[in-house]
Amino acid sequence: MSKIHIVFGPQGAGKSTYSKKLADEVKGIHLGIDNWMWKLYGDDLPKSMNLKWIMERVERCEKLIWELSEDISNRGCDVILDLGFTKQEKRKLFKQLAEENGKEIQLHYVSAKHPIRRKRVLDRNVNRGKTFSFEVTPGMFDFMEGEFHKPTESELMNAVIIDTNPKE
């Protein structure tokens, strides 16, 4: 039976890198929100930060991504959802959608210390490597830090926990 993998964690923790590796390991399909948002709406981004505008489009992408996820899963292939899942309510919603549709779910929590994550995000702006979709300014990073809901004990109970801090 195929699985829906919900990958979550704060920005810069390594969710996209981990998700792509997981997709290779399970021969699954990786669906990442950053790529969708940038390719669909990047050219239309307002000049000043407009969270309402962005979130309306994120919601549209998430609905389409879920429909695609169901179709892929129904064909027997694992789906790796790399949608940020910063809010506990969003994680709960996607878990509920999967359960209502008889899908097996696996949560994956990716974490790293704040200074490491901040450096990764700012370095990504410069290097523009494989996981770069759009520039995240220091102000955007700081704002999004406050938006992340730390996982509850019950969320982590059966989750795969990945610590991406560099080994010392």
Side-chain angles (χ1 to χ4, degrees):
M1 176 186 234
S2 63
K3 279 187 190 173
I4 304 285
H5 299 267
I6 296 174
V7 179
F8 71 104
Q11 62 187 331
K15 295 180 300 294
S16 294
T17 300
Y18 173 78
S19 294
K20 290 173 182 180
K21 182 180 170 203
L22 179 61
D24 287 343
E25 288 174 7
V26 300
K27 296 187 180 5
I29 303 296
H30 168 255
L31 299 173
I33 191 69
D34 290 349
N35 195 35
W36 281 62
M37 283 292 293
W38 187 248
K39 289 191 176 168
L40 291 172
Y41 304 115
D43 291 340
D44 305 324
L45 272 170
K47 296 295 180 215
S48 61
M49 178 70 149
N50 183 332
L51 190 60
K52 182 177 185 277
W53 187 92
I54 291 170
M55 293 315 296
E56 286 173 356
R57 282 144 187 88
V58 165
E59 293 282 330
R60 291 180 201 167
C61 286
E62 287 175 343
K63 286 178 183 172
L64 286 171
I65 288 170
W66 176 252
E67 290 174 13
L68 183 58
S69 297
E70 278 187 295
D71 190 37
I72 292 168
S73 179
N74 288 340
R75 295 169 192 278
C77 190
D78 282 17
V79 178
I80 295 80
L81 295 176
D82 176 16
L83 309 184
F85 293 107
T86 57
K87 305 280 189 202
Q88 182 182 14
E89 298 82 23
K90 190 65 74 172
R91 298 188 296 263
K92 190 175 182 179
L93 170 66
F94 273 75
K95 189 176 176 194
Q96 181 181 338
L97 286 169
E99 288 170 348
E100 286 172 357
N101 288 281
K103 306 297 180 193
E104 190 175 344
I105 306 149
Q106 179 63 64
L107 293 177
H108 301 258
Y109 176 54
V110 183
S111 69
K113 294 176 183 169
H114 180 272
I116 300 295
R117 295 185 293 102
R118 185 179 181 88
K119 182 177 181 342
R120 285 177 183 163
V121 168
L122 298 179
D123 286 352
R124 185 172 56 207
N125 289 339
V126 174
N127 300 332
R128 299 181 183 245
K130 290 181 183 179
T131 61
F132 178 83
S133 294
F134 57 90
E135 184 172 343
V136 176
T137 66
M140 289 166 67
F141 180 90
D142 294 340
F143 174 80
M144 289 307 295
E145 277 298 288
E147 294 294 300
F148 181 69
H149 293 177
K150 291 184 179 178
T152 63
E153 283 185 37
S154 64
E155 280 183 294
L156 293 178
M157 194 167 307
N158 295 311
V160 175
I161 300 172
I162 301 91
D163 178 345
T164 64
N165 287 298
K167 305 296 182 238
E168 303 206 12

